[in-house]
Amino acid sequence: MSDERKPKVIEPLHGPLDGTCSVPGDKSISHRAILFSAMAEGTSRLEGVLDSSDVRASIGAVQKLGAKVALEKQIDGSLAGGIEGWGAEGPKQPDGPIYCGNSGTTARLLMGVLAPWEIDVRLEGDESLSKRPMRRITAPLMKMGVDFDPAGAETLPITEHGTKCLKAIKYDSPMASAQLKTAVLLAGVYANGVTEINEPSVSRNHTELMLPEYGVETTAGERTAQVKGPAKMHSAEIRVPGDPSSAAFIACAAALKPGSAVHIENVSLNTARTGFLITLERMGVDVTTRHTGSAGKEPYGTISACYSPGIHGCEIPGHKIASLVDEVPVLSLVAAHAHGITVFRNVEELRAKESDRLDAIVKGLAQLGVDAWTEGADLFIEGQPGLEVPEGLVFDSRGDHRLAMTWSLVGLTGKVPVTIKDFECVDVSYPDFLEDMERLSK
């Protein structure tokens, strides 16, 4: 076993979290900037791109398909530079399978990217990604004329056979999923006519905000989006703001660590991503936002959070879950310290993430002596104000970056160390997470 694979001991922070920081670039926007630039004619200029294993999977994928990527590491740890796309020539036939690693975004969005081209591409992933549902993406793309092998496959590996005769469709999605929506819209860029997708509740809208930057006529409503094809994508200049999902861990840590007061700068304040802030406010956490600018159509600003004793439980309705789905694990930890019961409605999608996050939350909180349970698609957590963490706890991240960071907060904000199995999976989204937390506590 290498040193990186050994369980990681997370020691309590020396003092409160105090000061100003920034977080890595938004993962969702970074993926899209890379993929859209690869599709476009000319050379796009990107800055603030997240350098993580997930985003590297998208970079590797577009390179195998013929895009020329010249992104370099910056002083702040981000990636910046140019991507020359394949444009009207289309992607080239890769010389082997495209490995998507742990990145569901890479695999699912690539299906839409590849749909209009007559090449055969096998998509593969790691053990975790190979268990995640893909039928939700292949089903609408098959309606547009794309073939997959094996037909009706639920999981990776899948071989996609694109077609230049894509049909525009109107698709009523059974779930709110930005990845599903994006795959269909990207295929629709090259279909004849208007492709429309409707969702039961609001999902992330980064695609609708970014496609016009690349010259694609896009219409977006609260639960609907359209593209008109065929369209020619041209190069763009994209600045990626900080990732609110990463900022959530610092904000929640500040809420739990006595004496803390932090300001997280240049974070995306896209309303489709800030549901966790509204939830923290409803729980009585001292958290505020200040808009400072826009990157294209993406608003960004500063999130401020302070230690908040006396937090209380609340109910998060199902139609709001899409705006905070990735933050449910860390919000569950905050709920474990609250007065009363917190209820997350309609969170069954958590079972289909990098791990079964619902099961992990219930079992992880049980290790803290906190009662948490599911009833149907709902998650209930009965908080324990003044929660005392027992010594010697070992948490299993299940290879899931959101769980690894959530359980690390138990040690960082508490009085006793905890151990995290497979902690290095945080490289998927926030490689310098521990270093940033330690820097804020000095």
Side-chain angles (χ1 to χ4, degrees), residues 32 36 177-178 181-182 185-186 197 199 202-214 216-227 270 272 297-298:
R32 285 159 174 77
F36 296 5
S177 166
K181 175 173 61 176
T182 300
L185 292 177
L186 292 183
I197 182 165
E199 299 183 288
V202 178
S203 68
R204 298 178 184 183
N205 64 346
H206 301 304
T207 294
E208 298 94 301
L209 295 179
M210 190 182 291
L211 276 178
E213 302 284 316
Y214 289 86
V216 179
E217 184 179 331
T218 309
T219 304
E222 186 171 293
R223 293 184 292 111
T224 186
Q226 298 176 342
V227 292
N270 185 314
K297 294 181 180 179
E298 292 280 355

Side-chain angles (χ1 to χ4, degrees), residues 34-77:
I34 289 160
L35 294 170
F36 296 5
S37 297
M39 297 169 69
E41 200 79 50
T43 300
S44 296
R45 300 293 174 185
L46 312 181
E47 61 176 293
V49 174
L50 171 66
D51 186 9
S52 75
S53 55
D54 263 21
V55 176
R56 289 276 180 180
S58 284
I59 292 172
V62 300
Q63 285 177 316
K64 289 198 73 169
L65 291 165
K68 297 177 181 177
V69 180
L71 298 178
E72 296 182 352
K73 193 94 163 182
Q74 306 300 298
I75 294 175
D76 64 0

Side-chain angles (χ1 to χ4, degrees), residues 354-430:
E354 285 86 335
S355 67
D356 183 341
R357 288 181 182 165
L358 270 186
D359 180 70
I361 290 167
V362 170
K363 289 180 178 175
L365 294 183
Q367 290 181 256
L368 296 173
V370 173
D371 286 334
W373 65 96
T374 57
E375 292 181 8
D378 303 333
L379 171 65
F380 295 78
I381 299 166
E382 185 171 359
Q384 285 192 21
L387 175 64
E388 291 289 333
V389 177
E391 294 190 22
L393 288 185
V394 179
F395 292 98
D396 186 354
S397 74
R398 306 190 184 195
D400 188 323
H401 57 130
R402 307 290 184 202
L403 295 176
M405 288 190 283
T406 294
W407 303 134
S408 73
L409 292 194
V410 176
L412 292 168
T413 65
K415 299 176 181 177
V416 297
V418 300
T419 300
I420 313 288
K421 292 181 180 178
D422 201 11
F423 182 79
E424 77 281 356
C425 63
V426 300
D427 289 351
V428 161
S429 61
Y430 199 163

